Amino acid sequence: MSELFDAVDALLASRAVLPPPAERKRLRAAHGLTIDEVASALKVRRATVSGWEAGKTEPRPPERDAYARLLDKLAELYPATPAPAAEGRPAPDAPVPATFTAAPAPAQPAEPTSGTGVAGEPVKPQVPAADLADAPATAPRSASTTRPSTSRRPGARKAAPAGTPAGGTDPRFENGPLMVVDVEDGKVLAYGVGGLVLDVPAKSLPSLVEWTLREAKLGQPKLSGPGRPADPLLVLTKAALERYGLPTTLTAQEKDAGRIPEDHKVIKQLTRADWKLTKRGFGPWARIYRPAKGSERQCVQLCIPSWDALDPRFWDHAAQLPPAELARVLGTFATRVMTPRGSTAVTGLELMTALHPPTHAVRDEETGALRQADTKTPGSLGSDPVDCAPPEAPDGHPVLNALDLPRFHVRGPSEKLFEEAYDWARPMTDAECTLRFLVGLDVNMAFGAGANGLTVGLGEPTHVMNPVFDPKLPGSWLVDLSHVDLSHVKVGKEWVELDGSLLPSPFTPKGDRPTGPAWYATPTVAYAQELGYYVAPTEAYVRYDNGRYLDGWYTRLRDAYLATMADLGVTTDLSPEDFLTAMDGYKDRDPELGIVITAIKATVKGGVGKLRERPRGEGWRPGERWRALERPTWRPDIRAAVISRTRINLHRKIVKHAAFTGQYPIAVLSDCVVYAANGPSPLDVLPYREGKPLPGGFKLGVNPGLVKHEGTQTVLWGEEVREKFNAPDLNLARSIKDGTVSTADNGE
């Protein structure tokens, strides 16, 4: 009889009711279990558990009974809470305040804010709160490619968040923008967005490229009408590298060269199969292609983390993630920003081009066929590089050859444009030394906010002598601003008296008052006028062909940033107190999305910096052209304008804060400003009246241009550090976050 009972129990277990896939993942994460731990306990492969949680497959006996038992026990420990009306998803693995439970509505198209007023505070968009890996399942569809045998997990795939470009909208890219290729138990598997896993039949790298283009259905729709879709991206793990005959790490010589030797056996395989490599060769970000046939591209990009493709400064520990988690990180970044094209700096620059393609197709009036237009796409930088003006050129640029400068001549402010981020500090006053704390405020995506609504030059510079300054005309101006006195300035329509000795000058990166004529970008000169002073340039290089080239770039990155921050529980509608609470350890709620946030911010800064890329070896000598100069996006004038406006935005807030509160900064470093205060919180520094901040001043919030808490140290710590290094003006903003100070911070 007991045997009959056992058989009945087994029959019931085979039909054990399991919670939905999203709930399975929530329960596992709530107990702090990893997929590997669950797989080990159930004696199945990691990919099997991933498939159960993604809804791709269902467990079968005897694993189903054990899995159901595990989930039942976890459900008793972590009962589900009723979902709010907006169906927001709090992080499952960390307690969060009640303010996190409300999620914004799907994103709506937002017009960029105008360049007038306080430029760093854009209109708050609504952003999606769902996450790529955790969105609810939609109607089932097959995960297989054109050859069903290549997929072993057919079924429903998870939906992307609202407002996110969905691979499924175009059948060519239904499996998403990228996949991570790994080898498990002798099988080659490709991990995609939303938990998708495919079998890969390719036995060699050339056949892997063929499979990707013909069957994998990878890629991303174009971001602009005249643009082109993104090429598929394959990320190769160490196991995949070994399977396809590639080294798992690069030698020191190969790292210096940035590629493996051209006589490597895998490169010979590609050559025999009529595949080509770009000039960068086979390195951490390799591009394998065949010449396009008509409008059809044949190109696959490879990302190799073990070759340092994912710089830990910008991607944190992404290179050490398991394949499924790495696919989630890179897939989230790709769908919200774009498919990575290299480093975050390269991707930032490529995003500008993708949103403003230099060329477009037109129909030939005689033949009716499509051809490339003879003129550049309106609003773009065009296809041909443009030489900068002499003052905008970095040292060694060939445009300086015509100036016949003496050898080893060092150009000063009257010969060279010095628009850089702040690095300024001053000794504390006696009154400030009586306070207890130093509080650091950091501007969110400061350079992105500086780019928003900014008019920049699109074409060549025009040299003008004795011009009348026009604040709407982008360019570089030679003007004397030494007469601007910060002790007596206009704030709005009223003149105010300030202690100018406690303020950095807005006209120099070091905060020193100018001593004579110097070159400035348009936003800097316009700010001198805003402060109430007359300006009379003696010379200028202006650009009459101009536009708001960076608006779309900023909007794309802003939306990606806000959507990801919303997933982490930090939304745009929080009160100052709730915002500070939400920001406390926000990355720990979902470390993978924390990586995405780091990469988005690095894309903003890196993209701006890449506009003035310097020579990178290659036997370059001063006075010669280097490779970056052949790009239309090599535009130091645009970089200077963004940095100028970012610095001015910060100084404007500092001045309004001083006029309203009598508080002056101790130190400023790029987008971080430090104040002395009686309390450790930003609320002890910032003036809020009835929950409202000072108009045009600092405001707590997640939007670009608003500020967050960078860190707090004691005044005693600051004085001890400066005394230790014998530097009364040591920049404490550099170490306010964690209090760690090195000799490098003192310039040694």
Side-chain angles (χ1 to χ4, degrees), residues 710-743:
E710 177 69 4
T712 295
Q713 304 296 330
T714 64
V715 168
L716 181 60
W717 164 85
E719 287 298 276
E720 287 178 345
V721 166
R722 286 178 163 179
E723 183 178 349
K724 176 182 177 181
F725 289 103
N726 192 26
D729 56 354
L730 178 70
N731 196 326
L732 299 175
R734 185 171 278 108
S735 46
I736 193 70
K737 188 170 188 176
D738 57 10
T740 302
V741 184
S742 67
T743 55

Side-chain angles (χ1 to χ4, degrees), residues 600-624:
I600 291 172
K601 293 192 290 188
T603 301
V604 175
K605 284 190 175 181
V608 173
K610 200 77 171 175
L611 290 165
R612 199 192 67 171
E613 183 179 356
R614 302 302 303 276
R616 308 178 71 178
E618 302 174 342
W620 174 81
R621 294 181 179 180
E624 298 177 346

Side-chain angles (χ1 to χ4, degrees), residues 349 392-395 416-420 606-615 626 628 631 633-637 639-640:
L349 203 65
E392 299 163 350
D395 294 336
K416 181 180 178 181
L417 183 67
F418 285 95
E419 291 287 9
E420 301 294 343
V608 173
K610 200 77 171 175
L611 290 165
R612 199 192 67 171
E613 183 179 356
R614 302 302 303 276
W626 59 91
R631 294 196 319 251
T633 49
W634 193 87
R635 292 295 299 273
D637 57 300
R639 172 188 177 273

